[in-house]
Amino acid sequence: MWIMWRHILRAHLAPFVFSFIVLMLVFLLQFLVKFMDQLAGKGLSPWIIAELTVLNLAWMVVLAVPMSVLVATLMAFGGMAATHEITAMRASGVSLYRMMAPAVVASAVVAGMVLYFNNEILPDANHRVRALSSDIARKKPTLSLVPGLFSQAIQGYSILVRRTFEESNDLEGVTIFDYTRHDFQTTVTAKRGTISFSPDYRKIIMDLYDGEIHELNMINSVEYRTIRFEKHRITMDAEGFDFQRSQESAFARGDRELSTADMQQRVDSLMAERRIVEGRIQNYVEKETTDLLRTARVDTAAGQVETSPAAAVARLSSLKSLIEAEYSVINRLERQMREYRVEIHKKYAIPAACMVFVLVGVPLGIMARKGTFGMAASLSLGFFLMYWACLIGGEKMADRGLIAPWVGMWIANIVIGALGFYLTLRTARETVTIDWSALTRFIPEQWKLEEETAEA
């Protein structure tokens, strides 16, 4: 038995390593294409760019490992089926379930490693990425300003610059549209300027030189004025300016920068806070009801009502506003708890996909009977896209409260796992193959001749 286990695991090893390297290169290339234009040519040290790239490899590992497991399973069992090793083992009395046992055990080990990576390494890597990005933004606030393109990273402003400089925070050809006032439409132009942060990094300061301010009264469109200046300073809130201010405290970490234990503590504290708010609501209702019943009584001798109906309505309206404010707090707490619970389930659902993909990969590999990397990559890409679409869709719906967090994160594993279980049962009971002949009409004749010559 151990010889069979060693042989099956050895068939998985090379495809797993090869597909993992290929996928990491693909993810890395995608990252570089997307973000390198924002980093290169900005006067940053190559070591800073390299550190930021290496830290971003953490989330790539989490995505590449499950897909590599699927590719390795398809190639290993597809290759053994093509060389009739599966048939020979079945003739020797080895069931499909015993053949799958090594792959299932290995996938469970890999899933455990991914789970440990998700809890211990990925949160710290994400936090360091955010801190490093903040440090870069402090040094180069011009990173969010692309020459020739409008930037709306700062709420209430639209900024256009013609030129930025690598070695400084100087600007040339600045145009700013100010939408912070509803009664005036303000446009500021300047030939040059500088941009920097305030000492507490909460404000962005733009010092503009040699420019004009154009103001149009939106209420009275006839009123229009132009102000020329040699120097003008604009102060804007830094919140949302591409990179956020880094937080050193662990409590300031986001949900993707925490382990499952830390997030569960957050959920418990939010639930305790919710119970406090619910207790306040109950006290408000009981107190107001008691006061109304005590004061709104009729004195039969005097024939007077101590609390008039209008005063009672006013008190009830005030109570309603107070309760609505408290329920808005409850809704905010519920939203935060959902986000944490979704992330907790995600940390377990993605590693579990390694085992789910084995259930799908073994029967599909045997059915296809072709152990090539192209076939394995095509099938795995299709299943992984379906899995990832379900995962992302489930996360969005769970965050909005449309479905439970565990449903949103585990529905992809449940659907693909059920399909894999069904295919495994069918493959274990009979020989099922995938007929590729229908696709041969789309292959050029020259390729068919080359393939026949290679087989000969």
Side-chain angles (χ1 to χ4, degrees):
M1 182 183 75
W2 296 112
I3 297 176
M4 181 189 71
W5 276 52
R6 186 168 61 250
H7 176 72
I8 294 176
L9 292 177
R10 186 181 299 172
H12 282 75
L13 182 60
F16 176 81
V17 174
F18 178 73
S19 59
F20 178 77
I21 294 175
V22 170
L23 289 170
M24 289 296 293
L25 291 175
V26 171
F27 287 136
L28 181 60
L29 181 61
Q30 180 188 14
F31 170 79
L32 293 177
V33 170
K34 185 176 181 180
F35 293 103
M36 192 52 64
D37 62 332
Q38 302 178 18
L39 301 176
K42 300 293 185 177
L44 298 175
S45 168
W47 297 108
I48 297 297
I49 298 177
E51 182 181 0
L52 188 63
T53 304
V54 171
L55 290 174
N56 276 280
L57 293 177
W59 64 264
M60 303 179 194
V61 171
V62 176
L63 299 182
V65 170
M67 193 171 181
S68 300
V69 170
L70 180 56
V71 173
T73 305
L74 286 167
M75 290 188 65
F77 280 87
M80 289 189 293
T83 57
H84 304 289
E85 294 180 55
I86 299 294
T87 304
M89 283 188 280
R90 279 182 169 177
S92 302
V94 180
S95 65
L96 178 64
Y97 307 114
R98 291 180 60 187
M99 298 181 211
M100 293 177 60
V104 172
V105 172
S107 66
V109 173
V110 173
M113 296 172 64
V114 175
L115 180 60
Y116 176 83
F117 187 90
N118 274 348
N119 277 308
E120 302 298 332
I121 299 177
L122 182 61
D124 290 336
N126 289 338
H127 185 63
R128 290 182 61 186
V129 165
R130 189 159 67 97
L132 181 59
S133 299
S134 177
D135 294 339
I136 294 174
R138 294 179 185 184
K139 179 182 177 183
K140 297 289 293 181
T142 56
L143 287 180
S144 294
L145 302 177
V146 180
L149 297 178
F150 279 98
S151 173
Q152 296 179 341
I154 304 176
Q155 186 176 4
Y157 296 90
S158 182
I159 304 173
L160 173 68
V161 296
R162 301 298 180 185
R163 185 182 179 187
T164 59
F165 297 87
E166 295 183 10
E167 303 300 329
S168 66
N169 292 322
D170 294 338
L171 309 170
E172 280 189 3
V174 182
T175 302
I176 301 176
F177 293 94
D178 186 353
Y179 303 111
T180 57
R181 297 179 59 183
H182 299 289
D183 52 344
F184 278 91
Q185 178 179 327
T186 305
T187 304
V188 182
T189 61
K191 291 184 178 180
R192 57 189 179 88
T194 60
I195 182 171
S196 61
F197 282 102
S198 62
D200 60 357
Y201 295 98
R202 297 184 181 274
K203 298 290 184 179
I204 292 175
I205 300 173
M206 295 190 71
D207 291 319
L208 305 177
Y209 304 92
D210 193 10
E212 296 179 350
I213 302 175
H214 301 265
E215 287 188 351
L216 173 64
N217 192 329
M218 302 301 295
I219 300 176
N220 182 11
S221 59
V222 178
E223 183 180 347
Y224 181 88
R225 67 175 180 171
T226 302
I227 304 173
R228 296 183 182 274
F229 62 85
E230 293 184 0
K231 181 179 179 180
H232 179 62
R233 171 170 287 188
I234 300 178
T235 303
M236 299 168 281
D237 291 332
E239 183 179 358
F241 192 69
D242 196 7
F243 298 110
Q244 300 296 324
R245 181 189 177 193
S246 60
Q247 301 288 342
E248 299 298 332
S249 173
F251 191 76
R253 294 191 176 197
D255 53 358
R256 298 189 178 183
E257 302 170 26
L258 296 170
S259 63
T260 54
D262 294 332
M263 285 189 287
Q264 188 59 50
Q265 291 180 358
R266 297 277 188 93
V267 172
D268 294 340
S269 65
L270 291 172
M271 290 183 65
E273 187 175 351
R274 176 186 170 178
R275 286 192 291 268
I276 293 174
V277 176
E278 291 175 344
R280 286 204 303 262
I281 294 176
Q282 185 175 0
N283 292 336
Y284 293 151
V285 174
E286 291 177 353
K287 181 178 181 300
E288 194 66 28
T289 302
T290 303
D291 291 344
L292 286 174
L293 291 177
R294 185 177 65 252
T295 59
R297 63 179 183 271
V298 178
D299 189 338
T300 55
Q304 296 179 348
V305 180
E306 294 187 9
T307 301
S308 65
V313 171
R315 294 182 62 175
L316 290 176
S317 178
S318 176
L319 176 63
K320 177 184 176 183
S321 300
L322 188 61
I323 292 176
E324 288 178 349
E326 295 291 359
Y327 269 109
S328 66
V329 175
I330 292 178
N331 292 334
R332 176 179 58 82
L333 297 176
E334 284 286 348
R335 184 177 65 255
Q336 293 178 354
M337 284 190 289
R338 283 198 305 268
E339 292 175 355
Y340 285 126
R341 285 168 176 160
V342 167
E343 197 65 26
I344 290 173
H345 285 287
K346 185 195 290 187
K347 286 188 179 294
Y348 289 97
I350 293 180
C354 297
M355 303 178 65
V356 171
F357 285 154
V358 169
L359 292 177
V360 175
V362 171
L364 283 180
I366 296 176
M367 292 177 189
R369 292 189 176 184
K370 287 182 179 291
T372 63
F373 179 78
M375 183 278 300
S378 301
L379 290 177
S380 61
L381 180 61
F383 274 94
F384 197 76
L385 287 177
M386 181 176 66
Y387 175 86
W388 204 245
C390 292
L391 192 69
I392 293 177
E395 181 179 4
K396 297 298 183 183
M397 289 190 291
D399 285 339
R400 296 174 183 175
L402 301 177
I403 56 178
W406 73 268
V407 175
M409 291 296 95
W410 288 95
I411 187 63
N413 287 336
I414 294 173
V415 172
I416 296 181
L419 177 61
F421 184 73
Y422 169 74
L423 292 176
T424 300
L425 288 179
R426 286 202 58 187
T427 307
R429 294 175 181 175
E430 59 186 30
T431 301
V432 183
T433 61
I434 298 178
D435 186 10
W436 300 95
S437 59
L439 301 177
T440 56
R441 65 177 181 269
F442 299 104
I443 302 177
E445 294 295 332
Q446 182 180 358
W447 292 11
K448 293 181 181 179
L449 293 176
E450 291 178 356
E451 183 177 357
E452 293 174 357
T453 303
E455 292 178 355

